[in-house]
Structures are given as C-alpha cells and as structure tokens.
Amino acid sequence: MKGKVYLVGAGPGDPELLTVKALRLLRTADAVLHDDLVAPEILKLIPSTTQIHNVGKRCGKKKILQGEINFLMIELAASGLRVVRLKSGDPLVFGRAGEEIESLRANNIPFEIVPGVTSALGAAAAAQIPLTHRRASSALVLITAHRASEKDGAEKDATDWSKFVASGATLVIYMPGQNYSDIAKRLAAAGLAGETPCAVISRASTKYQRTHRTTLLDLHRAPQLASPTLLIAGEVVGLADPAAAVEFVIPRLSTRDDSLHPASPFETLLSQAPRRRDEEPMA
C-alpha cells in the first residue's frame, strides 16, 4: 500500500489565511512535516494523534538535510500514510518544492500540491501596499537575497537585478537578512534610484507584524526587525496608508484570542465538506 504526500502552503502566519483544503488535510493527516516558519497557531490545529516532524532549515542552520526530508516523506508515504509537507507561504515560492517533487516522482509516490498565500501577498495586504498600480507599476518580481553559494559574487547579482529594476517592476525580496546596507548597495548597483520608497515587513499577517517604511537611500538605517522579514521596493510603497508613518504595529481586526482555532463559520464549512475519494491513500 502507498499513501500520498500533500505539499501544502500554510500561508504567511495568520491561521485564517489557510485554505479550507489545507485545514482539512491538516486535520486528517497521519503525519505532518513542517518548516520552522509555520506559525505555532497553525500547528495547534493538528490533532494530537498525528505524527509531527519539525524539518525546518533556517538562517543557514540546518537541523536536517534536504535529502533526509525527501527520504522521510517517501518512507512515510510508502508505509501507507497520508503525509502533509507543510510549508510557510506557498510551497512553490522559494520552498524547495521542486526538489521534493522530483524525489516523489522518482519513487512513484502520489502527491498533490495545495497552494497557500505567499508572504509577499500577505505582507503587502496587511501593510496596505498595492503591489501593482496602473500609474506606478505594472509588473511584480519576487526574488530572494539568500544565495546558496558565493561563487558568482555580488557583481553577477547586480547584473541580474538590473533587469528587474529596468523593467520598473515592484520588487519583493524574500529573506533579505539583517544587513540592509548590503541589500541597498546591490539595488543601487542595479540602477534603483535612491529616492525609491521601500518597506521592511516583519512577521507578516500576525499580531506581531511590524513595518518600517523608508527609501533606498536610507535603507541602511532600517532597524533589525524580527525574522521572518521581507523587503518591498518600488513606487507602490509610497501609495500605502499615509498614517502608517515610519514604524507601527498592525492592529488585529478580531478581538478574539489568537490561540483559538479559526472562526466558527470556517470550521462549519470544513465539517460539512465531504472527503474526496482521490484524497484517500492510494494502492
């Protein structure tokens, strides 16, 4: 008997941004393999009888190698279990899902991808920044500042980023780290103007979210906000709510305890949804 693996996006942090399907799979999984960045409130939704494995790799500190994660997924599914590989944001955006898909295919393990709200969308929405605007930007580029290897050096990075800057697109930089001086230099070398508005967003969509708005010229002075963070650079940042001055805490719309499960209408919808046949373990 073979089980099945679900590559599931957990969204940026707020449990109410989970899809109905993601929540249903978490509630019915036999095993969950999750990243470090998945919010604790989301992990609380997993039943106590489910196997839970923290397979996070964060800030260059690897608790487990990617090959070991692949092996664990395959072994659990091959034993007939329904396995959820839970990733922060969307599994297909800087989530190494491509490598895991290759391993699952090579071992004939059935799998399905369940998209999630990627951090760029969650952070921009919470900070009220339109990622595109017909008078400011007609394109969006998602890039990462994290480099797996230093072989190519910063010069090649600046050349690559210059194409994005020249397009006039809004740039959303995942994993910018805490050295904003380095990021500012790379963006300036790529041709981004010093007066370009920028926003550093920390812990997007959670009650701990903080946003620092600045310009590229002053980006090096940005405070070191708590990880995870991302950086939005482009004219659209200037279109955010003017009341959101330099630094602020995003208020929660709900007054209920954040440690509780998602609101009752969400739970009711989940309980009424029938389980699909193709989501049962496959022979």
Side-chain angles (χ1 to χ4, degrees):
M1 292 289 294
K2 284 186 180 178
K4 187 172 181 179
V5 173
Y6 296 86
L7 304 174
V8 177
D14 185 347
E16 292 187 337
L17 293 180
L18 278 171
T19 64
V20 173
K21 186 168 187 176
L23 180 57
R24 176 160 48 84
L25 289 173
L26 285 178
R27 289 288 177 82
T28 57
D30 299 308
V32 175
L33 283 64
H34 71 88
D35 290 339
D36 275 339
L37 294 180
V38 175
E41 292 82 2
I42 292 176
L43 296 179
K44 289 178 182 178
L45 300 172
I46 303 172
S48 59
T49 55
T50 303
Q51 292 186 41
I52 301 178
H53 303 269
N54 183 344
V55 295
K57 300 185 293 295
R58 188 174 178 185
C59 300
K61 299 177 181 179
K62 298 183 178 181
K63 298 178 182 177
I64 183 171
L65 299 175
Q66 185 61 48
E68 294 175 307
I69 297 175
N70 297 345
F71 178 80
L72 181 58
M73 278 194 306
I74 291 165
E75 286 296 299
L76 291 171
S79 67
L81 300 184
R82 177 185 301 214
V83 181
V84 168
R85 176 68 176 99
L86 190 63
K87 296 172 176 285
S88 175
D90 182 272
L92 300 180
V93 180
F94 304 125
R96 296 199 180 186
E99 299 171 46
E100 295 173 357
I101 289 170
E102 290 173 0
S103 294
L104 293 170
R105 284 177 178 159
N107 288 274
N108 297 313
I109 300 295
F111 69 90
E112 184 175 336
I113 301 169
V114 180
V117 177
T118 189
S119 298
L121 306 185
Q128 300 182 3
I129 298 173
L131 290 174
T132 61
H133 193 286
R134 62 179 180 172
R135 293 192 299 272
S137 176
S138 60
L140 172 65
V141 175
L142 308 181
I143 53 181
T144 174
H146 176 74
R147 289 171 284 183
S149 171
E150 296 293 330
K151 292 180 181 179
D152 298 326
E155 184 177 349
K156 183 177 185 299
D157 288 330
T159 302
D160 291 342
W161 285 16
S162 66
K163 300 175 183 178
F164 306 140
V165 171
S167 71
T170 301
L171 304 180
V172 179
I173 303 174
Y174 285 64
M175 297 171 279
Q178 298 289 352
N179 189 354
Y180 299 121
S181 295
D182 180 58
I183 290 288
K185 290 176 182 176
R186 292 168 67 185
L187 288 170
L192 193 66
E195 63 272 16
T196 302
C198 298
V200 179
I201 304 174
S202 164
R203 296 184 178 183
S205 82
T206 73
K207 63 182 179 181
Y208 304 106
Q209 177 171 325
R210 297 178 69 192
T211 299
H212 177 81
R213 289 176 55 193
T214 182
T215 64
L216 179 62
L217 189 63
D218 292 325
L219 181 59
H220 66 284
R221 297 193 181 97
Q224 294 189 0
L225 302 181
S227 296
T229 61
L230 57 74
L231 170 67
I232 302 178
E235 296 302 323
V236 293
V237 176
L239 301 175
D241 184 358
V246 177
E247 191 175 313
F248 60 95
V249 177
I250 300 293
R252 299 289 292 172
L253 295 180
S254 173
T255 57
R256 63 190 178 81
D257 188 346
D258 284 302
S259 66
L260 299 179
H261 289 349
S264 56
F266 191 24
E267 294 283 55
T268 302
L269 180 61
L270 174 66
S271 64
Q272 293 175 346
R275 180 182 295 177
R276 286 170 35 191
R277 289 182 178 273
D278 65 352
E279 288 177 346
E280 294 297 333
M282 300 176 63

